[in-house]
Amino acid sequence: MEILIRATPEAVAKQAADIIAGYARNGSVLGLATGSTPIATYQELIRRHQHEGLSFAGCKVFMLDEYLGLDPQHEQSYARTIRREFTEHIDINDADVFSPSGNSKDPLAAAAAYEQHITSEHVAIQLLGIGTNGHIGFNEPTSSLNSVTRMKTLHPQTIQDNARFFDDAEEVPTHVLTQGLATIRRAGHLLLVATGASKAAAIAATVEGPLSAMCPASTLQLHPHATVLVDEEAAAQLTFREYYQYADQNKPAFQRY
Ligand code: F6R
């Protein structure tokens, strides 16, 4: 696992944009996340598209997860959120932006169909945020490390964390469809971004804790190309930070990103 510690959330966003831009130029399949953390990265990528000629032509997007029971047009659905925050502002074909169907009458069939669809593609890079409880996608603690796309019940902590996007905590859907941990691990490169002190414990558990379903993000330890990109606050509980910084500053010339 590669650990990159940057001084500020802005520097994290720039670094994440550098990494994603490398894949976008090749017309790759991009796995994207919602939530507040990636927004600055999306804004930086939009800026590069508008002012520096970065093109996403030929790219496809697969989203990590979706709330159950929200219409795709609902402002807080993840299908709508990714369009509003990112894909409507770049040169990507809207028909090539895919999410699990959160308003399906048969969520189990919708989950299976999404898993099948994503399996038929090669996701080159998967961008991930992390929950304060260590979730990635909506794989809450105790999610099987071998899970695939399925329905999950949100943890009350996640509902509380996400209530800020809704008028009322009561409006946050209690169920979701999410890519599983095995689905996520099939991407060629996993890029987990985290900023702020509230993520410090989850980042320490992900990087330095045991591989465990109690910290779903620790599944990154199983991946051959995983990057954890954090600001100083999110790095605060890492005990090996000097080593990570040393490795970052002494990267071999062939190393990607
Ligand atoms: C969103 C997602 C979630 C978030 C996580 C962190 O698609 O999959 O795992 O990445 O809840 O959210 P923020 O960035 O809002 O702290």
Side-chain angles (χ1 to χ4, degrees):
M1 214 191 282
E2 162 182 63
I3 320 299
L4 305 178
I5 302 171
R6 297 292 176 262
T8 61
E10 294 72 29
V12 166
K14 282 208 167 67
Q15 180 77 73
D18 285 348
I19 295 171
I20 294 168
Y23 290 96
R25 284 190 201 97
N26 298 329
S28 300
V29 180
L30 309 174
L32 299 182
T34 49
S36 50
T37 314
I39 289 176
T41 300
Y42 296 146
Q43 286 172 350
E44 175 62 13
L45 287 167
I46 292 167
R47 190 194 65 73
R48 293 182 194 194
H49 170 67
Q50 291 174 343
H51 301 289
E52 295 175 7
L54 173 64
S55 174
F56 294 81
C59 287
K60 291 183 186 177
V61 163
F62 279 83
M63 298 307 296
L64 270 177
D65 44 18
E66 183 57 281
Y67 288 118
L68 262 186
L70 293 190
D71 187 86
Q73 295 310 320
H74 188 289
E75 274 306 294
Q76 295 310 327
S77 78
Y78 285 170
R80 180 75 205 110
T81 300
I82 196 63
R83 286 171 169 79
R84 185 181 62 245
E85 305 288 355
F86 187 40
T87 59
E88 278 177 352
H89 309 281
I90 57 171
D91 58 338
I92 203 162
N93 185 354
D94 189 62
D96 288 330
V97 179
F98 304 103
S99 309
S101 309
N103 63 347
S104 169
K105 296 252 178 310
D106 185 347
L108 301 187
Y114 194 71
E115 180 70 16
Q116 198 174 14
H117 189 189
I118 200 167
T119 304
S120 69
E121 301 277 354
H122 172 67
V123 177
I125 183 162
Q126 177 63 59
L127 179 63
L128 299 163
I130 185 169
T132 53
N133 63 8
H135 74 222
I136 54 173
F138 276 133
N139 296 281
E140 299 285 27
T142 72
S143 288
S144 164
L145 299 177
N146 270 341
S147 49
V148 296
T149 306
R150 67 213 185 288
M151 188 171 82
K152 285 293 286 180
T153 307
L154 290 182
H155 192 282
Q157 176 69 54
T158 304
I159 292 181
Q160 200 183 316
D161 286 349
N162 287 3
R164 67 191 190 282
F165 297 114
F166 292 80
D167 293 333
D168 194 310
E170 298 282 296
E171 287 179 25
V172 184
T174 51
H175 292 79
V176 293
L177 295 180
T178 181
Q179 285 188 37
L181 296 174
T183 319
I184 291 170
R185 277 201 315 275
R186 282 202 302 268
H189 184 179
L190 302 182
L191 172 61
L192 189 152
V193 291
T195 57
S198 68
K199 302 294 172 69
I203 288 297
T206 299
V207 176
E208 296 178 345
L211 174 65
S212 165
M214 284 308 286
C215 178
S218 68
T219 199
L220 268 71
Q221 295 175 16
L222 292 173
H223 198 277
H225 191 189
T227 302
V228 174
L229 171 56
V230 293
D231 71 351
E232 287 287 352
E233 289 189 359
Q237 293 184 33
L238 291 172
T239 58
F240 256 44
R241 54 176 297 149
E242 282 172 20
Y243 171 65
Y244 309 137
Q245 280 166 329
Y246 177 82
D248 186 16
Q249 284 155 13
N250 293 281
K251 234 184 281 301
F254 61 80
Q255 197 165 335
R256 287 174 288 182
Y257 92 72

